[in-house]
Amino acid sequence: MIRLSNVSHTYGDGPVLEDLSMSVDPGEVLAIIGPSGVGKTTLLRVLALFVRPSSGTTELDGRAVWSVGESERLALRRRIGMVFQEASLFDASVVRNVEYGLRVRESWRERLRSQFRSVLGSNGTSEAVEEALEVVDLDDSLEQDADSLSGGEAQRVSFARALAYDPKYLMLDEPTSDLDPRNTGLIEDAIGTARERGIGVVVATHDMHQAERIADRVGVLLGDGFSEIGPTERVFEDPTDDRTRKFISGELVY
Amino acid sequence: MALDPAVDLLPALLDSPFREGYVSSIVYVSLYVSVIAVSLSTLVSVPVAIVMGFVDFRGKQFVKSVINTGMGFPSVVVGLLVLFAVSNQGPLGSLELIFTKEAMIMSQFVLATPPITAISLAAVTGVEGNVRDAARVLGGTRLDVALVVIKEARYGIATAVLAGFGRAISEVGSVLIVGGNITSSDGISKTRTLTTAVQLEARQGRYETAMVLGAVLVAIVLLVNAVVVRLGDTGGMGR
């Protein structure tokens, strides 16, 4: 479980997150919805152990992440995957991109050996890489250059890249905001597969219909923390918080 | 009266633009000095560029301006400073490096380092932040992230190295001062490079030799530039 307790985070000109507490379990999909600029990306970066919050605690599977040593934190960080709004692929082939997470987990000796094998052209694609690309329906594009992919394909590769090393948690920062319906559908299916595999998924989105479609729980982030967080159906149909109701019905909250 | 063939042949030999081994030895000295200087410079410049691209520290802006100033630093002044350093009274006097290839390597190292560092730094900082972030969230250590950045910036770094090589091989002032433009008694170059040889041959009126040497120099520089342009145009030669 990833648990944030009383987390606040400040960037230069003011607080982005204020006294926020939440948790994510393996095997659930939690959607974070809220207007732009409310701190969804920062929250995901905190959850991915990418950003150390200004105050509060971040726990992963019972360990206080920012109190442990660097090497243990790296090991904890490696239980989490993240997909950004932009695909951010490396200038290399699809397969090289997807296997990156596996490579960095190998020892230097193993990495040198596989580098050597790939120079000789005898480096087979690992099963995990093929499986991850199958999930996003791109298992026939292994050797394609990343920069020749369409935006939707690149984002799917980006998803496969985070899935390949079998993370326990997956943070998705508006993964479908620039995509067409077909690619959006494929990413949503992939999120479903991730959940079936027992991965805890947090997805930031401003598409409320998407949140309704894919999430077990929804957190509504409105300026100063969650106005509401709970089971998807309950939050959408019977919000207890007045601001949540206004946000969901499309009225301006602030 | 019979002429002494040695006396007869000597002027002809001196006049010939292609004295045995002369041109090739000059090309060899030029390439030797430039390649070693640029290699050493690359070993220093690229790590410096990467550290500067990654780490914020006090005085970073100052270091950047020093590097940029270094790109336009007059080569004769560099030559003079290296000459002082390696001269008998200088701090490196005991190494007896004056008028040697090693002294020339030192001065070319000083000249090539600023452009290689500056262009590499531009390439490294040009790698988008989200690519670095991706390497990190995928579980990379700092070293892994640095390696990703080097890989992403590889064409820019290659361009930097070739630009440094271009500066080194076509440079004349400092190698003339610290190398002395010397040949051995059999006409084989010791510290004579293509540039200093062209300068000398032209001054002595041996224009054919100067032209041949100049053409070789131009060919080398054009070849290097062609590689730079190709790297810039295509983003590389396959991957």
Side-chain angles (χ1 to χ4, degrees), chain A residues 35-100:
Chain A
S36 296
V38 81
K40 297 193 291 289
T41 296
T42 305
L43 173 59
L44 254 68
R45 285 176 173 244
V46 169
L47 285 168
L49 316 186
F50 197 68
V51 165
R52 180 180 189 164
S54 313
S55 65
T57 33
T58 314
E59 277 175 275
L60 174 65
D61 298 337
R63 303 289 292 160
V65 173
W66 297 102
S67 311
V68 301
E70 187 106 11
S71 61
E72 191 182 345
R73 183 156 54 248
L74 177 67
L76 292 172
R77 202 150 58 72
R78 286 181 167 175
R79 296 183 193 173
I80 304 174
M82 184 163 180
V83 175
F84 301 109
Q85 194 172 352
E86 288 167 26
S88 321
L89 295 181
F90 306 130
D91 180 14
S93 66
V94 167
V95 65
R96 286 256 175 233
N97 267 280
V98 177
E99 70 185 10
Y100 183 79

Side-chain angles (χ1 to χ4, degrees), chain A residues 153-165:
Chain A
E153 288 169 335
Q155 189 63 307
R156 280 151 58 201
V157 170
S158 183
F159 193 103
R161 186 171 67 172
L163 202 62
Y165 52 87

Side-chain angles (χ1 to χ4, degrees), chain B residues 75-93 97-100 103-104 106-107 173-180:
Chain B
S75 64
V76 281
V77 177
V78 171
L80 208 55
L81 294 175
V82 174
L83 184 73
F84 287 149
V86 298
S87 66
N88 286 337
Q89 287 80 31
L92 304 174
L97 292 176
I98 195 159
F99 302 139
T100 62
M104 293 157 78
M106 280 171 66
S107 74
S174 75
V175 286
L176 189 60
I177 294 175
V178 300

Side-chain angles (χ1 to χ4, degrees), chain B residues 2-14:
Chain B
L3 285 171
D4 179 352
V7 176
D8 221 15
L9 277 174
L10 196 62
L13 203 64
L14 281 173

Side-chain angles (χ1 to χ4, degrees), chain B residues 28-38 101 104-105 108 175:
Chain B
Y28 169 75
V29 169
S30 278
L31 289 175
Y32 176 84
V33 169
S34 299
V35 167
I36 291 187
V38 169
K101 292 190 203 60
M104 293 157 78
I105 289 170
Q108 295 216 335
V175 286

